[in-house]
């Protein structure tokens, strides 16, 4: 196969594939049906033309037959008048007319045969058209049912072009949603870690650490003040002095007022250093928590 032949074959195959994809069976069937009806109409028109020609020949034949009768009468009249020459001429014309009549009869018979054949072809073609019409409607109904079934199956399986577009749209929506969710979570995480505040603040890392240390020192100082007020300083329990503490003085005054004895009668309890240390640790734990 030469290059031109191969090229022509490829082009024809491509065109045929395009036509197959673009072809609508319903339109093709309707077009074929109309073509058959046009052919039937042509056959009917041919029968009508043939019949017209036959009728013209039949009319011409009748006229010749009338002339034959006329020439026959002329020959008889000439014989009665002893005019054999006129009778001979009339008989010669009669013979010519009869010869023409025989020729016309042959042509009329031929046209009648053609007419009968065309009528049979017309009847057969009309019958085939009716059969094709029934089959056409059946095929169209089957095609429409198959097309509807295909659309339903494509919709159920998502294999159709429209469903594929819908599937891609859903995928894009899911991707965008996931991206937005991830971005939102990242923003929350950055906000919790203080990145946004750092970005808006003029302090650097050293300033922030120093500020945290100063804040921690203020808490420690406040804790020491609180422990001092509660008599639980880290310096240990205060040693006993020769003088009375304020609490002992208040206690002696209260006992004196109640008449229950003097301060000599009340013994000052010894302070256990381990208990103080345990209570101090408990207080530190509460402050840290």
């Amino acid at each position: 196969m030469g290059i031109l032949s191969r090229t022509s074959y490829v082009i024809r195959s491509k065109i045929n594939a395009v036509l197959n994809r673009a072809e609508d069976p319903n339109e093709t069937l309707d077009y074929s049906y109309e073509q058959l009806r046009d052919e039937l109409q042509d056959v009917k028109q041919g029968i009508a033309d043939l019949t017209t020609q036959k009728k013209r020949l039949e009319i011409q034949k009748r006229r010749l037959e009338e002339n034959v009768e006329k020439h026959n009468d002329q020959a008889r009249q000439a014989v009665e008048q002893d005019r054999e020459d006129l009778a001979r001429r009339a008989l010669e014309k009669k013979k010519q007319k009869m010869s023409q009549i025989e020729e016309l009869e042959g042509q009329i018979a031929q046209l009648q045969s053609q007419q009968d054949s065309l009528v049979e072809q017309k009847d057969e073609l009309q019958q085939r058209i009716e059969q094709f019409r029934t089959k056409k409607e059946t095929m169209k109904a089957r095609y429409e049912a198959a097309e509807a079934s295909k659309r339903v199956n494509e919709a159920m399986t998502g294999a159709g072009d429209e469903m594929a577009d819908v599937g891609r749209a859903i995928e894009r929506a899911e991707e965008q949603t996931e991206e937005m969710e991830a971005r939102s979570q990242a923003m929350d995480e950055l906000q919790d870690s203080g990145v946004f505040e750092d970005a808006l603040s003029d302090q650097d890392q050293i300033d922030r650490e120093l500020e945290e240390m100063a804040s921690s020192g203020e808490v420690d100082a406040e804790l020491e003040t609180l422990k001092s007020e509660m008599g639980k300083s880290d310096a240990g329990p205060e040693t006993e002095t020769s003088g009375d503490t304020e609490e002992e003085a208040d206690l002696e005054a209260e006992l004196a007022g109640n008449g229950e004895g003097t301060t000599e009668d009340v013994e000052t309890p010894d302070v256990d250093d381990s208990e103080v240390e345990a209570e101090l640790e408990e207080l530190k734990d509460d402050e840290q928590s």
Side-chain angles (χ1 to χ4, degrees):
M1 183 180 292
I3 296 177
L4 295 178
S5 298
R6 291 180 59 187
T7 303
S8 175
Y9 180 79
V10 170
I11 293 174
R12 290 197 305 270
S13 63
K14 296 292 185 182
I15 294 175
N16 186 49
V18 172
L19 292 176
N20 287 334
R21 288 194 297 268
E23 183 179 8
D24 186 357
N26 291 335
E27 295 178 355
T28 302
L29 291 173
D30 290 337
Y31 179 76
S32 300
Y33 177 70
E34 293 299 327
Q35 289 292 107
L36 290 176
R37 293 189 62 181
D38 292 341
E39 291 180 3
L40 178 62
Q41 188 64 30
D42 293 339
V43 172
K44 290 181 179 180
Q45 185 64 41
I47 294 174
D49 294 340
L50 187 61
T51 304
T52 302
Q53 294 295 329
K54 187 187 71 171
K55 290 298 181 181
R56 288 177 180 176
L57 294 179
E58 289 177 350
I59 293 172
Q60 187 175 359
K61 176 187 173 184
R62 284 196 300 269
R63 290 177 179 176
L64 290 174
E65 289 175 347
E66 292 175 356
N67 289 331
V68 168
E69 292 295 331
K70 178 182 177 181
H71 294 317
N72 193 24
D73 292 337
Q74 288 175 348
R76 287 177 183 177
Q77 291 177 3
V79 171
E80 289 178 355
Q81 296 179 6
D82 295 332
R83 295 289 307 270
E84 292 184 3
D85 55 340
L86 293 177
R88 186 182 297 275
R89 287 169 57 186
L91 292 175
E92 288 177 356
K93 289 183 177 180
K94 174 185 175 181
K95 188 177 181 180
Q96 291 177 358
K97 297 298 188 295
M98 290 183 67
S99 177
Q100 292 178 4
I101 289 172
E102 289 179 358
E103 185 178 355
L104 289 175
E105 286 178 349
Q107 293 178 2
I108 291 172
Q110 184 178 1
L111 291 176
Q112 184 65 43
S113 176
Q114 292 178 359
Q115 180 180 348
D116 294 338
S117 177
L118 287 177
V119 170
E120 290 180 358
Q121 292 178 6
K122 186 264 296 181
D123 294 338
E124 183 180 358
L125 180 59
Q126 190 169 3
Q127 184 178 3
R128 289 179 59 187
I129 290 174
E130 293 298 326
Q131 293 176 353
F132 180 78
R133 179 177 179 275
T134 303
K135 188 174 182 179
K136 174 180 73 72
E137 298 299 328
T138 304
M139 291 298 297
K140 288 175 65 176
R142 289 179 56 190
Y143 177 79
E144 292 176 357
E147 187 177 14
S149 177
K150 180 179 73 71
R151 288 197 300 266
V152 172
N153 291 333
E154 288 179 351
M156 295 295 294
T157 58
D161 295 336
E162 295 181 358
M163 293 304 298
D165 294 337
V166 172
R168 288 193 291 269
I170 293 175
E171 290 179 358
R172 290 194 298 270
E174 290 180 350
E175 291 177 357
Q176 292 177 358
T177 302
E178 292 176 356
E179 183 178 357
M180 292 297 294
E181 291 176 348
R183 186 175 180 85
S184 177
Q185 294 176 2
M187 298 288 285
D188 292 339
E189 183 177 350
L190 293 174
Q191 186 174 2
D192 294 339
S193 63
V195 172
F196 290 152
E197 295 179 357
D198 295 341
L200 297 176
S201 177
D202 295 335
Q203 296 180 345
D204 56 8
Q205 184 67 23
I206 298 175
D207 293 334
R208 288 193 296 271
E209 291 183 2
L210 291 175
E211 185 176 349
E212 291 177 359
M213 292 176 61
S215 178
S216 177
E218 292 176 358
V219 172
D220 293 338
E222 187 175 358
L223 176 60
E224 292 297 332
T225 302
L226 180 60
K227 291 192 294 183
S228 299
E229 293 176 354
M230 298 178 64
K232 297 181 179 181
S233 175
D234 292 339
E238 294 181 355
T239 57
E240 294 181 358
T241 60
S242 58
D244 296 333
T245 63
E246 293 181 358
E247 293 180 356
E248 291 176 347
D250 293 336
L251 180 59
E252 290 178 356
E254 184 178 356
L255 292 175
N258 293 333
E260 294 180 356
T262 62
T263 57
E264 286 84 359
D265 298 331
V266 179
E267 296 180 357
T268 302
D270 296 332
V271 179
D272 191 353
D273 293 340
S274 61
E275 293 179 358
V276 174
E277 291 295 333
E279 187 174 358
L280 178 60
E281 292 296 330
E282 184 178 356
L283 181 60
K284 289 182 180 180
D285 294 336
D286 292 339
E287 291 296 332
Q288 291 177 359
S289 61

